[in-house]
Amino acid sequence: MNILYKINSWIICLILAGNIAYSQNSESVIALKLKLQKVAVDTVKINILNEITAEFRYSNAQEGIQYGKNALSLSENSKWKKGMAEANENLGICYKTLTDYSEAINHFQKALHLYKQISKQSAVSSTLKNIGLTYLAQEKYPEALSYFEKALKINQLSKNKVSIIYNLNDIADVYFRQNNYSKALEYYRQAIKTNEEIKDNNGLAYCYTRIGEIYSNEKKYQKAVSYLSMALAKYDKNQTENIDNALKQLSNTYLLISKSDTLNKKKYIALSKRALVQASSNREQYSQSIDALKESLQKATADTVKINILNRLTSSYFYTSPKEGIPYGQRALALAKKINWKKGMALAYNHLGVCQWVLTDYNKAINYFYQSLSSYEELNDQNGISDAYNNLGLVNVEIKKYDQAFKYFNKAFEINKKTGNKISMVYNLNNIASAYYNQKNYTKALEYYTQSKDLNLSMYDLNGLGYCYSKIGLIYSDKKNYAKSLEYFKKALENYDKSQTYNIGNNYIGMGIAYYKMALENQENKKQFLKESVQYLNNAINLFSETGILDRLSVSYFELYKAKKEQGNFIEALSYFEKHNVIKDSLFSNESQNKLANLQSKREIDLRDKQIEIQKLKIHSDSRKVYLLVTITILIAILLILFFWLYISKRSTNELLLNKNKVISEINKQKDKFFSIIAHDLRGPFNGFLGLTELLAEEIDDMDKEEIQFAATNMRSSAKNLNSLLENLLEWSRMEQGLIPFSPQERNLSQIVNECVMPLQDTANKKVITIETAIDQDIKIFADSHILQSVIRNILSNALKFTPKKGTVKIQAQEDPKNTFISIADSGIGMDAKMVQNIFQIDIKTNRKGTDGEPSAGLGLILCKEFVEKHNGKIWVESNEGKGSTFNFSLPKNTIINAV
């Protein structure tokens, strides 16, 4: 991210991502939710609910609160203190994310009380730290100090040296914010001693950097330089972010010295610039091949070293194969969590965020950057917090959520302004300006690029200055103020050094385009302006050819093709157009290449014909001019017709494919949901049956006759329910495969109904339910008797199941010239409108228990619908909650019914 403001928006993302990091959780939220549906043990449910809450703490705190409250409620009902403590801790973090600090403190205090009761000292320490961070966010420094100090005492007693260092740094950072530099120095020095004991050079370097900042603020510049130099000597080479920060601080310190020591002003300005150059090239200087990193990983023994190498491997795959880099990031995150190393976790979260960013999974990227932000907040790492906000802003720009992007950019800017980090302030200003430029709000874009320009001037950063001039030139070009545009482009060239080939090349393209547009609008100077345009575009081509940046080289060739064509140099124009297309083809898929090749060949023919006709025009008479113009017109018309036909054909094909895919997707989705429902409903009876058999197997010697009889009765009930479900499932499967014979015949309806009522009469008697039939003995029905009985039995069985004791079920039938109508009405519990709407849907679960706890799978009514429709009939239901239900279906009379 060190040269973020010097390159275009795509390279901005690439360079930025080199400094940022990522995260990937062991289980996605979706997986956790599915797992939650399958478990029955309360403690397991609570753990999963707490895991889901933890996933949402920073990315969607509002939704996290709902799961956290469910976990807390279930824990309280179970009186499980550990679950209650973790739920309160998670809720506290959610409310802190939403800046509801009073509610956050309330939950943290409850968690603290519970952790003390179960004597979990590490959790007590962590909660005290969270309370301290909450007070720190409100700038309530005395309260924050109090809790940080309590956490420190606990870790000192347990001799947890890594946590002790974090606590000491937290306390020192609070004093630093209060400008109480003497107390801040005291605690940073204590942290230094502990870091020396565990031989953590990176921890030492961090403290040296902060002490250097303090001395710089106290205008003790030589001491500041000394400590910052010590920090740079201690950091591992892979600590690129921390090294860059120390170099930036060193650069700022040299600038401050230059203002106070006018005699040696030039010397210190040179040293400041040298530090900036080191910061800009630091990541490039430290580069290892992937093979070398893997070899280093095998040799590493210390966990922190392994984590750093794993994070380096992840970043190495960012833009070549982000999917391959993700497993390394996952290992880094898991190991960092294992040793509770927050810095490693923060870096891993951010690297995973970059991987998802490159894969364009922006939701995941945002989630990971939020977790990175949280980790940096716990470390009170202001530079990390600023970077996380900046990254969130850039992702929101890509998804065109500009208001949210501006919010994050401004937060990052305010942090960098407080810490005096001018280089990062420049990044933020450039990002804000770029977002406004994307919205074509040129006034605001100019305002922020101008602020960035002034800041670069104050740091003597000429490359940064050149970048701003180039962007301002681009804005004026878009506004058609070409003279002013070229003025700024030329200023940019005066400030860029030779190493800035990418930015210089882009500047040349901008100048070439500006001169080309001027030529189109100014006929008097058209020839001169086109000449200038060609010159600058050729300069761009030379630079991008040397560096091998194909996308910009393609743009240069295309712009030069336009300029040459306008000059009348059609042969050269054709040559540049061909070069542009060759590069463009290499950047697209094979399908795109074929389409572009067809388009290119047509254009080549057009251009060659034009050139031939132009040559003939010079030789032949005026009559040939007319012929040439007619030929060109016809060719263009043919080309346009061909393009239009291809466009219509492609659109029609795409629409057809899209509709087919939607239908297939919907069918698969319904089947998946259906089998999920079946799997769930099968599990219930099986689990009940297995539980009872285990009870009998293990406890039968201690059970009396009543207990054995009770278990056996329940086993029989479970077995019946399971058998019924399997029969329905088998019948549905056979029907779907077309294996059920279908032979409709005319039969007496009353006889069929009586055959269905008899097997269910025992069930009705047990619940004292009266089954009434009101069917004319003369009514004949044209149907497959086996299938019709299945329909009536299923509906009647449901009616008995959902009718309370002493209720009634009435079966009626009537007919008209075309159809026979059958209705089965009950005085049961009824259904609400939503259940009525979904009752026959295969992919929506509507089953519920009967009035006596009878199980229900919901599959029977789906079979009824399929069977009725097989007869070319219709089925529907009328119901009100608490007022019973009436199921109706109709079958056509004496009609040829085709099996489906």
Side-chain angles (χ1 to χ4, degrees):
M1 227 166 28
N2 300 324
I3 55 171
L4 180 61
Y5 53 90
K6 305 172 190 174
I7 50 181
N8 69 10
S9 60
W10 173 240
I11 299 298
I12 285 176
C13 296
L14 300 186
I15 298 299
L16 166 69
N19 237 3
I20 58 181
Y22 82 92
S23 89
Q24 177 86 5
N25 301 312
S26 58
E27 289 185 285
S28 67
V29 173
I30 294 172
L32 288 169
K33 288 180 179 179
L34 289 173
K35 188 176 178 182
L36 182 64
Q37 295 175 1
K38 298 175 183 178
V39 298
V41 182
D42 283 347
T43 52
V44 178
K45 282 184 180 178
I46 294 164
N47 282 333
I48 296 172
L49 286 167
N50 277 328
E51 283 186 66
I52 296 173
T53 310
E55 292 292 326
F56 285 125
R57 290 185 303 189
Y58 306 107
S59 59
N60 190 347
Q62 200 66 54
E63 189 168 351
I65 287 171
Q66 300 305 316
Y67 286 98
K69 285 182 176 178
N70 288 340
L72 183 59
S73 174
L74 195 55
S75 300
E76 288 173 343
N77 291 337
S78 305
K79 296 181 180 179
W80 189 34
K81 291 182 179 179
K82 181 177 178 291
M84 291 161 63
E86 290 176 357
N88 275 300
E89 181 87 1
N90 283 327
L91 285 167
I93 295 172
C94 287
Y95 282 114
K96 179 177 177 288
T97 302
L98 296 172
T99 67
D100 188 346
Y101 298 123
S102 60
E103 195 65 32
I105 293 291
N106 177 39
H107 282 286
F108 283 140
Q109 291 289 6
K110 288 178 180 178
L112 182 63
H113 179 69
L114 289 161
Y115 279 134
K116 286 179 178 177
Q117 286 184 348
I118 61 178
S119 299
K120 193 173 181 181
Q121 293 304 303
S122 60
V124 171
S125 166
S126 176
T127 308
L128 288 167
K129 180 181 174 74
N130 277 325
I131 297 172
L133 290 170
T134 307
Y135 280 123
L136 187 60
Q138 302 172 78
E139 297 185 354
K140 294 182 178 180
Y141 299 123
E143 293 88 343
L145 278 173
S146 171
Y147 283 95
F148 287 146
E149 286 168 352
K150 289 176 183 177
L152 175 61
K153 287 179 182 177
I154 290 173
N155 290 318
Q156 285 173 334
L157 288 171
S158 63
K159 297 181 180 180
N160 186 338
K161 293 187 178 181
V162 174
S163 295
I164 288 170
I165 292 167
Y166 290 145
N167 299 145
L168 290 169
N169 285 334
D170 286 336
I171 295 168
D173 288 344
V174 175
Y175 282 123
F176 182 87
R177 286 198 188 189
Q178 293 177 292
N179 297 325
N180 188 342
Y181 297 136
S182 60
K183 292 293 288 183
L185 283 170
E186 176 188 331
Y187 281 94
Y188 281 132
R189 284 177 177 140
Q190 288 184 47
I192 285 172
K193 288 181 182 179
T194 312
N195 276 305
E196 286 173 341
E197 289 175 15
I198 63 173
K199 297 179 181 179
D200 184 355
N201 286 335
N202 291 319
L204 278 171
Y206 173 80
C207 295
Y208 288 152
T209 303
R210 298 312 298 263
I211 291 172
E213 289 181 59
I214 290 172
Y215 282 132
S216 184
N217 290 344
E218 290 184 327
K219 299 183 179 180
K220 298 176 181 178
Y221 300 126
Q222 294 305 327
K223 281 191 174 182
V225 169
S226 174
Y227 272 95
L228 290 168
S229 299
M230 288 165 61
L232 289 167
K234 284 287 183 184
Y235 276 128
D236 290 341
K237 287 183 179 180
N238 57 9
Q239 295 290 306
T240 51
E241 184 181 350
N242 289 324
I243 293 170
D244 285 351
N245 180 51
L247 285 166
K248 292 169 193 174
Q249 293 297 331
L250 188 60
S251 174
N252 287 335
T253 303
Y254 280 133
L255 275 179
L256 292 169
I257 297 173
S258 73
K259 292 176 182 178
S260 61
D261 187 352
T262 54
L263 191 63
N264 297 302
K265 183 174 182 178
K266 289 185 178 179
K267 168 190 169 183
Y268 288 113
I269 288 175
L271 288 170
S272 174
K273 290 177 71 174
R274 181 181 173 187
L276 281 177
V277 170
Q278 283 182 270
S280 298
S281 61
N282 178 47
R283 190 165 292 99
E284 185 178 345
Q285 290 170 357
Y286 177 66
S287 60
Q288 286 179 281
S289 69
I290 290 174
D291 290 338
L293 285 169
K294 289 179 179 178
E295 187 178 340
S296 299
L297 182 63
Q298 291 177 350
K299 296 176 182 178
T301 54
D303 286 340
T304 53
V305 176
K306 287 181 182 178
I307 293 165
N308 285 329
I309 295 172
L310 287 165
N311 278 324
R312 286 277 299 144
L313 279 166
T314 310
S315 64
S316 298
Y317 285 109
F318 277 168
Y319 310 109
T320 55
S321 179
K323 286 184 179 179
E324 197 171 342
I326 284 174
Y328 292 106
Q330 290 173 330
R331 287 173 60 187
L333 182 60
L335 191 53
K337 283 183 175 180
K338 182 180 177 182
I339 65 172
N340 196 31
W341 188 34
K342 297 288 184 182
K343 186 69 176 179
M345 290 162 61
L347 201 59
Y349 280 131
N350 270 352
H351 276 131
L352 282 165
V354 178
C355 288
Q356 297 300 339
W357 189 355
V358 175
L359 293 169
T360 68
D361 193 337
Y362 299 122
N363 286 333
K364 283 186 180 178
I366 288 172
N367 182 40
Y368 300 142
F369 289 144
Y370 267 120
Q371 294 187 71
S372 171
L373 174 64
S374 170
S375 298
Y376 281 126
E377 283 179 338
E378 289 184 33
L379 292 167
N380 197 26
D381 183 338
Q382 295 301 304
N383 289 325
I385 294 169
S386 164
D387 284 346
Y389 278 133
N390 198 58
N391 301 338
L392 286 165
L394 285 168
V395 177
N396 277 280
V397 166
E398 288 206 27
I399 59 178
K400 300 189 185 307
K401 292 187 177 180
Y402 292 107
D403 290 341
Q404 192 70 8
F406 290 134
K407 174 183 171 184
Y408 289 124
F409 287 145
N410 285 318
K411 282 186 177 182
F413 181 79
E414 290 303 316
I415 291 171
N416 292 320
K417 190 176 179 181
K418 283 183 181 179
T419 59
N421 190 338
K422 290 185 179 181
I423 293 179
S424 292
M425 288 167 67
V426 167
Y427 300 156
N428 304 142
L429 291 169
N430 286 337
N431 288 334
I432 295 169
S434 177
Y436 278 122
Y437 179 79
N438 290 344
Q439 294 178 293
K440 300 189 184 302
N441 188 339
Y442 298 132
T443 303
K444 295 295 286 184
L446 276 172
E447 176 188 333
Y448 281 95
Y449 278 130
T450 302
Q451 289 184 46
S452 175
K453 170 181 70 72
D454 294 340
L455 203 53
N456 278 303
L457 272 171
S458 71
M459 296 188 296
Y460 302 96
D461 187 347
L462 299 181
N463 287 321
L465 194 60
Y467 176 82
C468 292
Y469 283 142
S470 185
K471 288 295 183 181
I472 293 171
L474 193 61
I475 291 170
Y476 280 119
S477 181
D478 286 354
K479 293 176 73 174
K480 299 184 179 181
N481 189 341
Y482 303 119
K484 206 163 188 178
S485 168
L486 288 166
E487 177 188 334
Y488 277 98
F489 282 136
K490 287 172 183 177
K491 283 185 179 181
L493 290 176
E494 291 169 5
N495 285 277
Y496 281 134
D497 60 43
K498 291 181 180 179
S499 65
Q500 298 296 306
T501 53
Y502 185 90
N503 294 313
I504 293 170
N506 273 336
N507 203 76
Y508 283 146
I509 292 175
M511 296 177 79
I513 292 171
Y515 275 117
Y516 173 76
K517 290 178 179 177
M518 287 173 71
L520 296 180
E521 295 184 5
N522 191 327
Q523 292 299 317
E524 291 181 9
N525 299 310
K526 180 177 181 179
K527 186 176 180 180
Q528 181 59 33
F529 289 150
L530 285 173
K531 182 180 178 182
E532 295 283 353
S533 175
V534 168
Q535 178 187 334
Y536 284 111
L537 290 170
N538 274 321
N539 290 345
I541 287 170
N542 291 336
L543 279 177
F544 290 129
S545 296
E546 290 173 7
T547 53
I549 302 174
L550 296 181
D551 61 329
R552 307 311 296 163
L553 186 59
S554 175
V555 171
S556 304
Y557 280 137
F558 186 73
E559 295 299 332
L560 192 54
Y561 147 73
K562 287 161 59 180
K564 287 290 183 181
K565 183 181 175 185
E566 197 65 32
Q567 284 181 327
N569 297 329
F570 293 105
I571 293 176
E572 287 188 68
L574 178 60
S575 173
Y576 288 120
F577 187 82
E578 287 174 340
K579 290 178 180 179
H580 156 71
N581 268 342
V582 167
I583 295 172
K584 192 174 181 182
D585 286 348
S586 69
L587 301 176
F588 285 91
S589 64
N590 291 333
E591 182 183 357
S592 298
Q593 288 177 5
N594 292 334
K595 292 176 182 177
L596 287 171
N598 292 332
L599 181 61
Q600 181 183 345
S601 65
K602 294 296 180 184
R603 289 184 176 176
E604 287 173 359
I605 292 167
D606 186 33
L607 285 170
R608 288 192 183 107
D609 287 342
K610 284 182 183 180
Q611 187 61 35
I612 292 168
E613 294 303 326
I614 288 170
Q615 294 299 324
K616 288 180 181 180
L617 185 64
K618 293 177 181 178
I619 300 169
H620 298 289
S621 63
D622 290 342
S623 62
R624 301 297 293 171
K625 290 182 182 179
V626 176
Y627 176 76
L628 173 64
L629 290 172
V630 170
T631 303
I632 292 172
T633 303
I634 291 171
L635 284 170
I636 291 173
I638 292 170
L639 193 61
L640 288 172
I641 291 168
L642 179 60
F643 287 167
F644 183 75
W645 179 81
L646 287 172
Y647 169 76
I648 295 297
S649 176
K650 180 182 175 183
R651 187 174 68 175
S652 175
T653 304
N654 286 344
E655 286 177 354
L656 182 62
L657 286 173
L658 186 62
N659 291 335
K660 291 291 183 183
N661 285 336
K662 282 182 180 177
V663 171
I664 292 168
S665 176
E666 189 62 32
I667 291 170
N668 286 335
K669 190 187 297 182
Q670 288 187 359
K671 292 249 178 172
D672 289 342
K673 287 185 178 180
F674 172 70
F675 285 118
S676 175
I677 292 168
I678 293 303
H680 180 273
D681 289 334
L682 281 171
R683 189 183 295 111
F686 266 124
N687 285 343
F689 192 89
L690 287 172
L692 290 167
T693 56
E694 286 175 4
L695 181 67
L696 285 172
E698 295 173 7
E699 306 290 340
I700 193 165
D701 292 334
D702 298 325
M703 295 171 69
D704 55 28
K705 183 178 179 182
E706 281 187 3
E707 289 174 330
I708 294 171
Q709 188 173 3
F710 174 80
T713 302
N714 278 283
M715 285 172 65
R716 181 179 63 182
S717 176
S718 292
K720 280 184 176 181
N721 180 42
L722 185 59
N723 183 61
S724 174
L725 180 60
L726 287 173
E727 282 183 354
N728 277 338
L729 183 59
L730 179 61
E731 198 160 21
W732 178 84
S733 175
R734 292 174 61 209
M735 181 191 68
E736 285 292 297
Q737 296 177 65
L739 300 178
I740 295 179
F742 183 68
S743 54
Q745 296 176 354
E746 193 173 80
R747 282 198 60 187
N748 183 278
L749 178 60
S750 177
Q751 182 181 348
I752 291 174
V753 170
N754 289 334
E755 289 173 0
C756 295
V757 170
M758 286 178 60
L760 295 170
Q761 189 61 55
D762 185 55
T763 303
N765 292 340
K766 286 180 181 178
K767 295 183 73 172
V768 197
I769 294 172
T770 303
I771 300 176
E772 300 176 5
T773 56
I775 299 174
D776 193 323
Q777 295 293 326
D778 296 326
I779 292 179
K780 304 288 184 181
I781 191 161
F782 188 75
D784 184 299
S785 59
H786 172 74
I787 292 177
L788 180 60
Q789 284 179 350
S790 179
V791 173
I792 295 171
R793 276 200 310 273
N794 265 303
I795 298 175
L796 183 57
S797 176
N798 271 353
L800 295 173
K801 192 178 296 179
F802 298 108
T803 300
K805 291 181 178 179
K806 298 183 180 179
T808 59
V809 176
K810 191 168 186 179
I811 306 172
Q812 295 178 300
Q814 54 186 336
E815 55 185 349
D816 63 19
K818 293 184 178 180
N819 297 286
T820 303
F821 298 88
I822 302 167
S823 68
I824 301 176
D826 63 63
S827 60
I829 58 178
M831 295 176 283
D832 58 24
K834 185 176 181 181
M835 185 172 287
V836 169
Q837 183 180 355
N838 299 326
I839 194 72
F840 297 110
Q841 297 296 317
I842 193 171
D843 58 334
I844 299 177
K845 188 174 180 180
T846 56
N847 61 314
R848 54 181 177 168
K849 291 186 176 181
T851 55
D852 279 1
E854 302 99 316
S856 170
L859 182 59
L861 291 176
I862 294 167
L863 281 169
C864 291
K865 182 176 183 294
E866 297 281 353
F867 286 157
V868 169
E869 288 177 351
K870 197 174 184 72
H871 286 81
N872 291 332
K874 295 180 181 178
I875 186 168
W876 68 97
V877 62
E878 300 167 359
S879 181
N880 288 305
E881 204 164 7
K883 296 183 180 179
S885 304
T886 301
F887 282 84
N888 306 281
F889 65 93
S890 65
L891 298 179
K893 284 179 147 188
N894 298 322
T895 303
I896 297 174
I897 304 171
N898 297 316
V900 180

